[in-house]
């Protein structure tokens, strides 16, 4: 005699507890089994250890004809997870999403956001549960539609489970069919009395809603037969399941699908034989792979090759962690956070559950869709059609441990599929303020192609992103595309009147009555300065780098990213990069600062000639040791291979450097007002000069200066002092002898030193001429922000 084993539903727990699923929970219920009777568990979820079947449960079953014999052990089968009271929990917003949709014709009736049509027409459910949305399209993102042509009419789906709440409103006939009553009917029960297949747990009702619910179902007009083989805790013996399979073998009506969201965590040849016998009779059998994160071939009936074994994935197209795997898996379907109905009332909706029990009914529903069009198809043909129609390689980790990576697809052969090309638009190149109209205007085309056999409606809008509008127009904005035909959308760009040098962008939104239902494409137009329009793509590409600022202290100005640097001593510099051709973007990775030793703190597209005129500015820093290094060279390398113009032509690699001397740099200059080249000065004999150093120094005194030209009776220099509020700006007074008219030269003769004890570089002498009026000639010198880069301000 074969030992009986315990079976449990393969369903995940409710939204409140499904995250607690795991091998420990899956096996804990097995402790309730007797030595000769192991437990079968439903595959929807893993039942916690406390959820074992009542020892008073009994089974009443007809003689077993499709297997040998079954043990009389009373150990029950436990479904893995419809515990908790989540029936009223919102299912990630599905309740709000299932909104009424516009019917495609005035004669169509709608229910729960679904346009109901007969099976020869296309039907669309707007904002469906994610799992329905997912199985009628090959890849993400979801398009907020579930589309079908068949609805499972005249196909019998036998749900071997905890029973079904047959009066639930989701299982009634579609109101548009004018048929009263429920599509869910009593079949048989191996638990309690054979005439009572009501659900007292919710698992069987949940999977039935996924198979054929009006809102949550794949095949919305299929007939559901309740075959109860699991008790109120979701537990049963293999003998119960075999009894249900045997009853079905004697009472099925073709075309037929048997949906088994249950299984044992070990092989059971008697149950496997019963499944094989049923398939041989022409019934397509769909089974859950199991929730044990183990090889499905080690479970029953998941290991039956002729059955369709289903693993589970989530909303991100990732394999569910606890789903069984391996070569016995035929297809993967949604199984995480699946929303459906439960048994507590006829109106309770939005019950969440997770597991391969939830994945299994999706495939059962698709089998019903196929059998509606192919009612005489044998199970092998149904299985081949589902497997061949699946999307290959879509699920992340879907090929885990040898699992065929095939994701379930419904059969939408007549669904109007609209291809939109190109997927993205390259930027348009325009020139602001150009006198050439063809340089300020351009067009692009998007092609819509209808590969379906029904007409598709479309609408298009172009919305500028930003403050500048009126530069983009799309035509046509609405229309229809006949089956097998296409339509071009023309985007017209015109910046003739704007004159802005900037990046313009707009969102082009295309909506269709087919799929995809909506697609947004970003249109971009670079408006470059008109000076670049003569830079034809074939012309030689050149690059230049200049250094307007190099200094060994951080500039205190708002255009630098930070004012505090605690990471040592740095040389700070600004480099301007100019390209001969329009460059839309320059990545920091295309630039090397001192061979990779420097750091770019800021990069923008304002170059020597302004914004979007082929130039860029960088603010960068390189490290140095002020007590060791007298000079530092900063360098910028533009890696040409990583920089292309807007026409796709690469620039050659280019490098340039600049050297800063860290020794004190000084400059003498006059503070006198001037008028023209030799303007008037005061007739005062005292001439005030300034001496400015690039950094604080020591050693400056009146004796540090040599004044040549006139003959002095005493010291020529007096009043050497620091300008108030500074530490490197000195004032000095030259006391000229009365009656002297001629050139005067002032020189710094002594050596001064900075705080690092670096001696100063020679200071250029300042020469001026005292004339009879008197006048002071020569240049006026000023100071830029960078000490060490003192320049003439003429």
């Amino acid at each position: 005699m074969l030992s009986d084993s315990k079976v449990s539903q393969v369903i995940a727990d409710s939204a409140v507890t499904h995250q607690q699923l795991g091998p420990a929970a899956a096996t804990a219920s097995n402790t309730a089994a007797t030595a000769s009777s192991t437990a079968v568990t439903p595959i929807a979820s893993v039942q916690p250890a406390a959820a074992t079947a009542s020892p008073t449960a009994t089974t009443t079953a007809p003689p077993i004809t499709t297997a040998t014999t079954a043990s009389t052990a009373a150990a029950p089968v436990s479904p893995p997870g419809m515990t908790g009271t989540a029936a009223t929990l919102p299912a990630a917003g599905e309740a709000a999403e299932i909104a009424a949709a516009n019917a495609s014709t005035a004669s169509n009736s709608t229910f729960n956001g679904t346009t109901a049509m007969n099976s020869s027409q296309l039907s669309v459910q707007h904002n469906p549960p994610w799992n329905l949305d997912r199985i009628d399209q090959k890849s993400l993102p979801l398009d907020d539609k579930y589309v079908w042509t068949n609805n499972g009419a005249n196909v019998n789906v036998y749900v071997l489970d905890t029973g079904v709440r047959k009066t639930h409103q989701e299982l009634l006939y579609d109101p548009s069919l004018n048929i009263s009553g429920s599509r869910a009917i009593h079949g048989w029960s191996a638990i309690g009395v054979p005439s009572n297949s009501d659900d007292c747990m919710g698992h069987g009702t949940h999977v039935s809603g996924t198979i054929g619910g009006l809102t949550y179902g794949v095949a919305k007009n299929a007939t559901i037969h309740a075959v109860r083989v699991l008790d109120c805790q979701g537990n049963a013996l293999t003998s119960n399941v075999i009894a249900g399979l045997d009853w079905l073998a004697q009472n099925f009506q073709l075309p037929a699908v048997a949906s088994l969201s249950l299984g044992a965590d070990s092989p059971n040849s008697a149950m496997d034989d019963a499944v094989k016998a049923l398939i041989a009779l022409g019934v397509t059998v769909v089974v859950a792979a199991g929730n044990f994160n183990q090889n499905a071939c080690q479970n029953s009936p998941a290991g039956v090759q002729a059955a369709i074994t289903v693993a589970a994935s989530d909303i991100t197209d990732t394999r569910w962690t606890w789903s069984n795997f391996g070569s016995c898996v035929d297809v993967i379907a949604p199984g995480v956070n699946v929303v459906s109905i439960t048994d507590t009332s006829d109106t309770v909706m939005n019950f969440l559950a997770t597991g391969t029990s939830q994945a299994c009914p999706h495939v059962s529903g698709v089998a019903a869709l196929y059998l509606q069009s192919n009612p005489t198809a044998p199970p092998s043909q149904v299985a081949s059609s589902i497997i061949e129609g699946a999307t290959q390689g879509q699920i992340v980790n879907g090929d885990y441990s040898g699992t065929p990576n095939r994701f379930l697809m419904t059969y939408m052969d007549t669904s109007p599929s609209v291809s939109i090309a190109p997927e993205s638009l390259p930027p348009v190149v325009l020139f602001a303020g150009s006198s050439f109209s063809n340089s300020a205007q351009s067009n692009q085309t998007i092609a819509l192609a209808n590969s379906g056999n029904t007409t598709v409606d479309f609408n298009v809008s172009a919305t500028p992103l930003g403050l500048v509008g009126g530069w983009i127009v799309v035509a046509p904005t609405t229309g229809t595309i006949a089956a097998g035909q296409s339509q071009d959308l023309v985007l017209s760009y015109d910046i003739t009147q704007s004159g802005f040098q900037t990046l313009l962008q707009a969102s082009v939104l295309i909506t269709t009555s087919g799929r995809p239902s909506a697609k947004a494409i970003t249109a971009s137009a670079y408006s470059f300065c008109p000076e670049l329009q003569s830079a034809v793509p074939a012309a030689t590409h050149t690059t230049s780098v200049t250094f307007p600022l190099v200094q060994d202290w951080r500039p205190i100005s708002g255009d630098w990213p930070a004012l505090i640097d605690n990471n040592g001593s740095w040389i700070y510099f600004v480099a301007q990069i100019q390209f001969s051709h329009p460059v839309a973007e320059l990545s920091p990775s295309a630039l090397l600062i001192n061979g990779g030793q420097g750091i770019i703190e800021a990069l923008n597209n304002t170059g020597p000639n302004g914004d979007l005129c082929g130039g860029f500015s960088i603010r960068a820093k390189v490290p140095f040791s002020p007590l060791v290094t007298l000079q530092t060279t900063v360098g910028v390398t533009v890696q040409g291979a990583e920089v292309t113009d807007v026409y796709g032509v690469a620039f050659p690699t280019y490098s340039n450097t600049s050297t800063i001397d860290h020794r004190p740099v000084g400059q003498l200059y006059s503070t006198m007002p001037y008028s023209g080249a030799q303007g008037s000065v005061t007739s005062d004999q005292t001439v005030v000069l300034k001496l400015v150093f690039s950094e604080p120094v020591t050693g400056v005194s009146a004796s540090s200066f040599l004044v040549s030209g006139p003959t002095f009776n005493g010291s020529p220099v007096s009043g050497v002092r620091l300008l108030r509020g500074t530490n490197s700006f000195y004032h000095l007074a030259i006391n000229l002898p009365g009656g002297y008219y001629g050139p005067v030269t002032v020189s710094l003769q002594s050596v001064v030193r900075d705080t690092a004890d670096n001696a100063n570089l020679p200071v250029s002498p300042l020469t001026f001429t005292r004339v009879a009026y008197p006048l002071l000639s020569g240049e006026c010198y000023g100071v830029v922000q960078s000490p060490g880069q003192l320049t003439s301000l003429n």
Side-chain angles (χ1 to χ4, degrees):
M1 174 182 295
L2 292 173
S3 64
D4 209 358
S5 61
K6 188 177 181 182
V7 179
S8 66
Q9 62 187 14
V10 189
I11 172 174
D13 210 348
S14 67
V16 178
T17 59
H18 77 272
Q19 67 273 17
Q20 299 174 1
L21 297 179
T27 58
S29 60
N30 293 346
T31 59
T34 61
S36 62
S37 175
T38 58
V40 180
T41 57
I43 303 176
S45 60
V46 181
Q47 182 75 3
T52 56
S54 168
T56 60
T58 59
T59 60
T60 305
I64 306 298
T65 59
T66 56
T68 54
T69 60
S71 169
T72 59
V77 181
S78 63
M82 290 291 291
T83 61
T85 56
T88 58
L89 291 176
E94 277 93 343
E97 293 175 354
I98 302 173
N102 295 325
S104 61
T105 65
S107 61
N108 291 333
S109 62
T110 63
F111 59 91
N112 290 330
T114 303
T115 302
M117 309 179 191
N118 61 47
S119 62
S120 63
Q121 296 177 294
L122 181 71
S123 298
V124 180
Q125 179 178 348
H126 295 268
N127 300 314
W130 79 266
N131 45 296
L132 290 188
D133 192 348
R134 183 63 192 86
I135 62 174
D136 67 347
Q137 60 186 70
K138 288 185 177 296
S139 61
L140 295 174
L142 302 175
D143 65 359
D144 295 325
K145 288 183 180 180
Y146 173 58
V147 181
W148 72 94
T149 49
N150 286 356
N151 58 14
N154 302 315
V155 177
N156 301 287
V157 182
Y158 297 86
V159 179
L160 283 74
D161 213 289
T162 61
V164 177
R165 188 176 184 98
K166 296 175 282 294
T167 56
H168 199 287
Q169 64 181 17
E170 276 286 293
L171 302 179
L172 302 180
Y173 282 97
D174 172 6
S176 68
L177 301 177
N178 296 319
I179 302 175
S180 61
S182 175
R183 291 175 291 112
I185 60 178
H186 169 71
W188 186 76
S189 178
I191 306 296
V193 295
S195 60
N196 182 8
S197 59
D198 292 342
D199 191 358
C200 56
M201 180 193 174
H203 185 265
T205 302
H206 194 278
V207 300
S208 296
T210 302
I211 294 170
L214 294 178
T215 302
Y216 304 119
V218 176
K220 300 180 185 296
N221 201 25
T223 301
I224 306 296
H225 297 261
V227 182
R228 187 182 181 206
V229 295
L230 303 176
D231 64 18
C232 295
Q233 284 74 43
N235 300 324
L237 297 174
T238 51
S239 57
N240 301 128
V241 178
I242 293 170
L245 292 168
D246 186 72
W247 174 88
L248 181 53
Q250 300 176 59
N251 294 278
F252 68 86
Q253 300 177 42
L254 295 178
V257 178
S259 187
L260 282 73
S261 289
L262 51 79
D265 60 357
S266 59
N268 184 282
S269 60
M271 185 162 57
D272 290 348
D273 289 344
V275 169
K276 294 174 185 177
L278 188 61
I279 295 172
L281 293 172
V283 178
T284 297
V285 177
V286 182
V287 301
N291 295 345
F292 307 105
N293 191 27
Q294 65 185 31
N295 194 323
C297 298
Q298 300 172 1
N299 304 146
S300 289
V304 175
Q305 289 189 351
I308 304 175
T309 300
V310 188
S313 62
D314 65 18
I315 195 172
T316 67
D317 277 4
T318 301
R319 170 187 174 267
W320 181 50
T321 304
W322 294 107
S323 176
N324 282 2
F325 50 80
S327 60
C328 289
V329 171
D330 294 295
V331 69
I332 304 170
V336 178
N337 286 345
V338 174
V339 63
S340 186
I341 58 178
T342 190
D343 68 313
T344 54
S345 79
D346 290 343
T347 58
V348 171
M349 315 268 271
N350 301 332
F351 194 96
L352 283 177
T354 291
T356 55
S357 275
Q358 277 54 61
C360 172
H362 289 85
V363 180
S364 300
V366 171
L369 300 181
Y370 183 80
L371 285 168
Q372 180 180 353
S373 297
N374 305 274
T376 61
S380 59
Q381 180 178 326
V382 177
S384 295
S385 180
I386 290 174
I387 291 172
E388 292 171 5
T391 303
Q392 302 290 326
Q394 182 62 35
I395 303 303
V396 177
N397 295 328
D399 57 355
Y400 180 78
S401 193
T403 305
N405 195 344
R406 298 186 286 244
F407 184 74
L408 178 68
M409 277 286 295
T410 55
Y411 298 91
M412 313 310 303
D413 295 339
T414 59
S415 172
S417 178
V418 179
S419 64
I420 301 176
E423 286 287 327
S424 60
L425 293 169
V428 168
V429 179
L430 304 171
F431 297 97
S434 170
S435 60
F436 304 99
S437 60
N438 62 342
S439 295
Q441 299 173 352
S442 186
N443 294 330
Q444 285 183 315
T445 300
I446 299 175
L448 309 182
N450 178 10
S451 60
N453 60 5
T454 57
T455 297
V456 169
D457 300 325
F458 70 89
N459 290 278
V460 189
S461 63
T463 304
L465 306 175
L467 299 178
V468 181
W471 56 273
I472 182 170
V473 176
V474 60
T477 58
T478 187
T480 60
I481 309 173
Q485 300 300 309
S486 61
Q487 171 70 55
D488 284 346
L489 307 177
V490 178
L491 303 179
S492 299
Y493 305 85
D494 188 346
I495 61 164
T496 305
Q497 304 301 319
S498 75
F500 289 105
Q501 293 174 203
T502 185
L503 169 61
L504 302 171
Q505 290 187 310
S507 176
V508 179
L509 179 63
I510 305 168
T511 60
T512 76
S513 60
R515 69 177 58 248
S517 60
K519 181 176 180 63
I521 299 177
T522 299
S524 303
Y526 281 104
S527 177
F528 288 95
C529 67
E531 290 81 359
L532 290 176
Q533 71 181 82
S534 60
V536 296
T540 301
H541 285 54
T542 61
T543 305
S544 66
V545 177
T546 58
F547 298 89
L549 176 65
V550 181
Q551 62 189 46
D552 50 15
W553 54 280
R554 177 178 286 277
I556 303 176
S557 58
D559 53 3
W560 283 84
L563 297 179
I564 300 175
D565 195 330
N566 297 319
N567 296 319
S569 299
W570 300 89
I571 302 299
Y572 298 89
F573 69 92
V574 172
Q576 290 189 327
I577 304 168
Q578 182 64 48
F579 296 103
S580 60
H581 289 64
V583 175
E585 296 180 4
L586 179 63
S587 170
S589 64
L591 305 175
L592 283 180
I593 308 301
N594 279 31
Q597 299 302 308
I599 297 173
I600 296 176
E601 294 193 339
L603 169 63
N604 59 62
N605 64 354
T606 301
N609 300 320
D611 294 345
L612 282 173
C613 211
F616 296 83
S617 293
I618 64 170
R619 303 183 186 278
K621 63 183 182 180
V622 296
F624 86 111
S625 300
L627 299 180
V628 177
T629 307
L630 294 181
Q631 291 182 323
T632 299
T633 298
V634 297
V636 176
T637 299
V638 182
Q639 302 181 91
E642 297 187 30
V643 183
T644 60
D645 65 13
V646 292
Y647 310 109
V649 180
F651 286 82
T653 295
Y654 177 84
S655 297
N656 198 13
T657 61
S658 178
T659 299
I660 181 174
D661 199 305
H662 304 303
R663 292 170 289 184
V665 178
Q667 179 69 60
L668 278 165
Y669 68 101
S670 171
T671 61
M672 291 297 185
Y674 286 84
S675 176
Q678 293 188 4
S680 62
V681 298
T682 65
S683 59
D684 193 341
Q685 290 179 305
T686 301
V687 177
V688 178
L689 302 181
K690 277 186 182 180
L691 172 61
V692 179
F693 281 98
S694 59
E695 56 187 302
V697 295
T698 58
V700 179
S701 66
S703 62
S704 301
F705 298 92
L706 173 66
V707 180
S708 60
T711 300
F712 295 92
N713 294 323
S715 175
V717 178
S718 64
V720 177
R721 60 184 176 84
L722 281 171
L723 184 65
R724 181 180 298 176
T726 72
N727 57 13
S728 59
F729 284 45
Y730 292 88
H731 273 188
L732 61 148
I734 308 298
N735 303 309
L736 298 176
Y740 174 79
Y741 302 100
V744 180
T745 300
V746 181
S747 303
L748 178 69
Q749 294 298 297
S750 65
V751 174
V752 298
R753 296 182 179 276
D754 63 12
T755 56
D757 202 33
N758 293 319
N760 66 293
L761 293 175
V763 177
S764 299
L766 174 63
T767 299
F768 59 91
T769 301
R770 190 180 189 204
V771 294
Y773 290 103
L775 294 176
L776 186 66
S777 65
E779 288 187 293
C780 175
Y781 291 89
V783 182
V784 295
Q785 276 194 336
S786 171
Q789 296 224 346
L790 309 180
T791 62
S792 171
L793 294 183
N794 271 357

